[in-house]
Amino acid sequence: MIYTGEEAIKWRWVYKISSVMAVLFLGLGVFLSKLFFLAAFVSVLISKHAHDKSKRWATGFEGEYYVIEALSECKCFNGVLLSDLMLPGATANIDHVLVCDRGIFAIETKAYTGIYKADGDTWYYETMSGKIIPTKSLSRLAKRNAAILSKFLRERYGERYFVNPMLVFSGATVFEGRATVPVLFPSQICEYVCSLPRTLSKQEVARLSDLLARYARHIMEVGKNAP
């Protein structure tokens, strides 16, 4: 299972255990000592925190799964999809890396809801009341991941390849404006990748995907030759 799914399950278990402990301590507080009420209160706080974390990780897992599902149905190229790629020394993972005959793609997935706007690398979020609020630059994040992967391939293996950044919204998102990276929904990924020229040979795809496979939590062949 990919990392986001594992985290969702872990926090779900924490939520269940802390909820049971809260009820247990509450009962002990009634029959034994009022000090158990404090333990019950702490357990409730832990339960609420775990519930919120579980929901966020589950949403992230669902979003990443949409990308996997979309690419599993794409038949116009040959390649490998590596999910939850954690490179040595990195502080965060790359959601997906697609290595195929159309190139190398670092895919940043966001399961956001709402209206997001971009003007180059400047991003905004529109609230329900119509207020425009500056938010973190998702295009810069996508480009940073691509640059990190490109640098890693060059420094670790001597492989000099450009990595294409891509941002995918997998939630109920409305996107407006123009960003410095392709901004897509899962149903658009296949068409976009297939519209690009072939830049990698079958041997290059196999070699690069083999180099990166050890750092991924989930690996899947995609394209017309996939099982």
Side-chain angles (χ1 to χ4, degrees), residues 13-49:
W13 272 108
V14 174
Y15 165 68
K16 288 182 177 180
I17 292 171
S18 57
S19 297
V20 171
M21 294 302 295
V23 174
L24 176 62
F25 286 137
L26 185 61
L28 292 174
V30 172
F31 295 104
L32 295 179
S33 170
K34 291 184 178 180
L35 289 176
F36 285 108
F37 286 132
L38 178 59
F41 177 71
V42 173
S43 296
V44 168
L45 293 180
I46 295 174
S47 175
K48 183 180 184 305
H49 175 72

Side-chain angles (χ1 to χ4, degrees), residues 51-115:
H51 182 261
D52 292 342
K53 295 280 285 188
S54 175
K55 285 183 64 177
R56 285 198 293 270
W57 282 111
T59 299
F61 172 70
E62 183 179 16
E64 292 184 17
Y65 179 77
Y66 285 148
V67 172
I68 294 173
E69 186 178 41
L71 283 171
S72 70
E73 299 174 357
C74 194
K75 302 299 182 184
C76 64
F77 59 79
N78 291 311
V80 177
L81 180 67
L82 305 108
S83 300
D84 278 337
L85 198 78
M86 180 61 77
L87 299 176
T91 57
N93 70 324
I94 301 176
D95 292 335
H96 304 283
V97 172
L98 173 64
V99 183
C100 68
D101 52 15
R102 311 302 171 113
I104 307 171
F105 302 84
I107 305 173
E108 178 68 22
T109 304
K110 294 298 181 187
Y112 290 170
T113 59
I115 301 174

Side-chain angles (χ1 to χ4, degrees), residues 116-124 137 139 167 175-183:
Y116 284 81
K117 303 172 183 285
D119 180 11
D121 281 327
T122 304
W123 283 71
Y124 306 91
S137 177
S139 52
L167 175 63
F175 172 71
E176 299 175 355
R178 286 180 174 272
T180 57
V181 302
V183 180

Side-chain angles (χ1 to χ4, degrees), residues 79-202:
V80 177
L81 180 67
L82 305 108
S83 300
D84 278 337
L85 198 78
M86 180 61 77
L87 299 176
T91 57
N93 70 324
I94 301 176
D95 292 335
H96 304 283
V97 172
L98 173 64
V99 183
C100 68
D101 52 15
R102 311 302 171 113
I104 307 171
F105 302 84
I107 305 173
E108 178 68 22
T109 304
K110 294 298 181 187
Y112 290 170
T113 59
I115 301 174
Y116 284 81
K117 303 172 183 285
D119 180 11
D121 281 327
T122 304
W123 283 71
Y124 306 91
Y125 172 74
E126 183 174 338
T127 67
M128 294 289 290
S129 62
K131 185 178 180 181
I132 306 298
I133 301 175
T135 188
K136 64 181 178 181
S137 177
L138 300 180
S139 52
R140 283 199 181 103
L141 175 59
K143 289 191 291 186
R144 184 193 68 187
N145 287 341
I148 288 173
L149 178 56
S150 179
K151 181 180 179 181
F152 175 77
L153 286 171
R154 183 178 68 254
E155 293 182 349
R156 176 63 68 94
Y157 299 112
E159 302 282 356
R160 296 181 178 274
Y161 289 96
F162 175 74
V163 178
N164 301 275
M166 184 190 301
L167 175 63
V168 176
F169 281 121
S170 57
T173 314
V174 175
F175 172 71
E176 299 175 355
R178 286 180 174 272
T180 57
V181 302
V183 180
L184 307 170
F185 294 93
S187 61
Q188 299 173 315
I189 300 174
C190 182
E191 181 179 359
Y192 171 74
V193 174
C194 292
S195 70
L196 301 175
R198 291 180 173 84
T199 59
L200 298 181
S201 67
K202 182 177 180 180

